[in-house]
Amino acid sequence: MQDLKPLYDAVLTGDAKTAKTTTEQALAAGVEPLQLVQEFMMPAMAEVGRRFEANEYFVPELLLSARAMKAALELIRPLLVASGTEPVGRVALGTVKGDLHDIGKNLVGAMLEGGGYEVIDLGVNVPPEQFVAAVKEKKANIVAMSALLTTTMPAMKTTIEALQQAGVRQQVKVLVGGAPISQRYAEEIGADGYSESAAGAVAAARKVCA
Ligand code: B1M
């Protein structure tokens, strides 16, 4: 198999051009798209996070690595997305209020689309009322929230409360995920499902809707 260490290095060093060309070459050589994400890009991002914590990397480096990962994901996303089938459900997906991290959320969206769900991507920094509006106006039957910061985790609870106050909590299932989230936290805040990975989000969506 082609040596894919350059993809890892490109994400780690924020080299978007190399991340893109290595991904193109790997896909052309028949490497599984998810393998590229799980075995090379995500470990590189984990190392970026470690360096940030160790004060070896700062916000500019985080941004460059995020840009490199996004460049590669742009090529992968269409391959994860199913086409031509009736959606099995409609998901309002977003990163919660106060949180700007969207790489994991975008992967979750691509996997859900690949799993046959219609995804309404609300973006990042999504306030509770925007999730409520998506349920009311767009008739989403799943609300999927991502959070990457311990400080923004409580926004998930606030959103669930907003769904309750708006009288729509019973008509939706709530899925949560993101690095600091756990099954226990999901249960604590009254979410219906949790997944630690983007691939697992599809199984979690199926489970809560079954
Ligand atoms: Co930020 N950041 N960041 N950052 N950043 C983290 C999260 C951090 C852990 C880094 C660290 O210290 N080690 C830390 C959080 C600490 C904490 O809260 N405990 C942190 C911090 C502190 C910050 C700032 C506060 C830094 C600052 O300004 N001083 C700031 C906050 C800004 C804000 O949001 N308000 C900040 C900013 C940024 C950038 C904007 C520079 C950039 C994000 C760019 C972007 O997303 N467009 C960034 C990045 C890149 C990171 C790290 C390095 C990488 C995140 C990532 O994309 N991972 C991150 C460290 C790390 O994660 N190791 C870090 C790859 C991605 C595929 O994984 O998002 O975990 P992840 O998603 C996974 C799963 O979690 C899961 O599926 C995905 C794939 O399997 N998942 C779900 C996610 N959502 C899900 C939803 C589901 C199910 C599964 O169901 C609905």
Side-chain angles (χ1 to χ4, degrees):
M1 190 178 95
Q2 184 189 350
D3 176 19
L4 291 169
K5 174 92 175 13
L7 176 58
Y8 174 93
D9 290 338
V11 173
L12 183 59
T13 58
D15 178 352
K17 203 170 157 208
T18 305
K20 203 173 161 192
T21 50
T22 325
T23 302
E24 270 164 357
Q25 286 161 6
L27 291 173
V31 181
E32 279 297 311
L34 262 189
Q35 191 186 351
L36 295 176
V37 177
Q38 286 170 343
E39 291 179 22
F40 299 93
M41 295 184 215
M42 287 183 53
M45 279 311 239
E47 175 59 13
V48 171
R50 191 203 63 74
R51 290 186 184 189
F52 180 71
E53 260 174 65
N55 286 327
E56 294 164 21
Y57 268 19
F58 299 92
V59 172
E61 284 87 359
L62 293 193
L63 280 170
L64 286 174
S65 290
R67 199 184 62 167
M69 179 138 177
K70 279 187 169 186
L73 280 178
E74 264 170 35
L75 300 168
I76 287 175
R77 192 183 164 102
L79 305 175
L80 299 178
V81 173
S83 60
T85 46
E86 263 306 290
V88 293
R90 187 172 292 155
V91 185
L93 170 70
T95 303
V96 295
K97 188 174 178 183
D99 201 321
L100 302 175
H101 296 83
D102 70 351
I103 296 173
K105 184 265 296 167
N106 293 344
L107 262 178
V108 169
M111 294 301 294
L112 285 170
E113 283 178 356
Y117 290 84
E118 179 187 339
V119 175
I120 304 159
D121 190 341
L122 303 174
V124 296
N125 190 21
V126 181
E129 53 274 23
Q130 207 180 329
F131 282 108
V132 171
V135 174
K136 283 185 170 169
E137 292 157 22
K138 307 256 169 78
K139 306 278 175 260
N141 59 340
I142 297 179
V143 164
M145 292 183 270
S146 177
L148 261 286
L149 300 170
T150 43
T151 49
T152 58
M153 289 164 64
M156 292 179 157
K157 186 164 185 268
T158 317
T159 303
I160 292 175
E161 286 163 359
L163 291 168
Q164 258 151 5
Q165 276 156 19
V168 294
R169 178 67 184 94
Q170 295 312 316
Q171 62 193 67
V172 286
K173 298 293 179 187
V174 176
L175 288 184
V176 292
I181 311 301
S182 62
Q183 178 66 43
R184 190 163 161 207
Y185 184 73
E187 284 165 18
E188 242 173 66
I189 62 171
D192 301 298
Y194 157 78
S195 158
E196 67 170 358
S197 70
V202 181
R206 288 202 181 120
K207 196 170 158 201
V208 295
C209 291

